[in-house]
Amino acid sequence: MSELKLYGANVCPFVHRARLTLAEKGLGYEYVAIDLRDKPDWFYQVLPTGKVPLLEHKGYRIWESAVVCEYLEEVFAQPALLPSDPAKRAEARIWIAWSGDVLVSLFYRLLKEQDSSKWEEHRAALRQALEKLDSELADRAWLLGDQLTLADLELYPWFERWQVLEHYRGFSIPSECKGLGRWKEALASRPTVAAIAEKPEFYVTQYRSYAEPAAV
């Protein structure tokens, strides 16, 4: 029995963050997969916030995906997924905050928007965010340079789900974002990432309730 237990759902990008961190650190863990549309009776007893992921370790319960990932980094120091330099660590945290505050917010704003006349406005804002990201990746492999960090792992889950925006909102990653494209492919091809990847069709089906709530 592993000392680590993760409660999550495969559809959830925040759970994906935690699973990628566990995988990159080579940590074994018990995974309790939950159907968020048909929650078990014990759900709110174990997950009082009603949110996944939740990590159990040595009697502690840790939630909020960024907190879970950083907890794993602090407890299991190798292989390191944050730089040793404090300034670089701060830069990683800034990117993690940016991913949630900007890119993730824009992703869902476009996906959930039911007024098609507003789609282009949302696409333009999201395109601007992607161009910023691409400019950072133009001459480097990862967001902080040569080292894969939590900044990359915590951003990637939404790019595995990009087919959802392509399918429902006709928005692809711009072809001119070459650095971003290389970064996405480099992550997708990592064995740790590929081992838990879902097919695009899975996300398209699962995210229909966001894009077309009236049809569900």
Side-chain angles (χ1 to χ4, degrees):
M1 181 74 70
S2 173
E3 64 175 6
L4 290 163
K5 180 185 286 189
L6 183 72
Y7 294 85
N10 289 13
V11 69
C12 177
F14 298 99
V15 173
H16 200 172
R17 285 175 157 184
R19 295 180 74 197
L20 290 174
T21 302
L22 287 158
E24 286 292 335
K25 286 189 169 290
L27 296 170
Y29 62 100
E30 180 183 352
Y31 182 48
V32 182
I34 298 167
D35 182 349
L36 297 177
R37 296 178 181 177
D38 185 20
K39 300 180 181 70
D41 294 339
W42 49 259
F43 183 81
Y44 287 103
Q45 296 174 7
V46 177
L47 294 92
T49 65
K51 299 197 303 186
V52 290
L54 182 142
L55 180 74
E56 288 185 349
H57 182 230
K58 294 187 174 180
Y60 292 101
R61 288 180 177 176
I62 303 100
W63 57 88
E64 297 295 342
S65 61
V67 177
V68 169
C69 293
E70 200 151 334
Y71 175 84
L72 292 169
E73 173 68 7
E74 291 177 353
V75 175
F76 304 97
Q78 297 300 324
L81 292 174
L82 283 176
S84 57
D85 177 69
K88 281 291 187 181
R89 291 172 78 91
E91 185 180 350
R93 293 184 178 109
I94 289 168
W95 273 114
I96 292 166
W98 179 88
S99 70
D101 294 342
V102 179
L103 187 125
V104 174
S105 177
L106 294 172
F107 182 102
Y108 288 112
R109 187 179 302 170
L110 175 57
L111 181 61
K112 292 181 177 182
E113 180 60 70
Q114 299 303 297
D115 184 349
S116 60
S117 69
K118 297 180 180 178
W119 289 356
E120 188 50 44
E121 174 189 344
H122 297 328
R123 289 190 193 108
L126 189 49
R127 188 178 299 111
Q128 185 176 22
L130 294 180
E131 288 169 354
K132 170 183 169 61
L133 191 56
D134 180 65
S135 69
E136 296 291 330
L137 292 164
D139 57 357
R140 61 178 71 171
W142 308 111
L143 279 170
L144 269 64
D146 295 332
Q147 179 188 357
L148 176 78
T149 70
L150 289 179
D152 302 288
L153 297 177
E154 294 193 43
L155 182 60
Y156 175 75
W158 284 270
F159 287 93
E160 185 169 296
R161 289 154 178 79
W162 211 270
Q163 182 68 32
V164 172
L165 289 184
E166 294 180 6
H167 181 85
Y168 290 111
R169 298 294 181 259
F171 184 71
S172 302
I173 297 172
S175 59
E176 59 268 25
C177 290
K178 303 296 187 185
L180 177 56
R182 287 193 301 271
W183 172 88
K184 179 178 180 291
E185 290 305 313
L187 271 161
S189 64
R190 291 178 74 84
T192 49
V193 176
I196 61 172
E198 298 285 353
K199 294 184 181 299
E201 295 78 11
F202 170 80
Y203 294 122
V204 167
T205 300
Q206 293 292 316
Y207 277 76
R208 188 183 181 195
S209 62
Y210 285 90
E212 299 177 347
V216 177

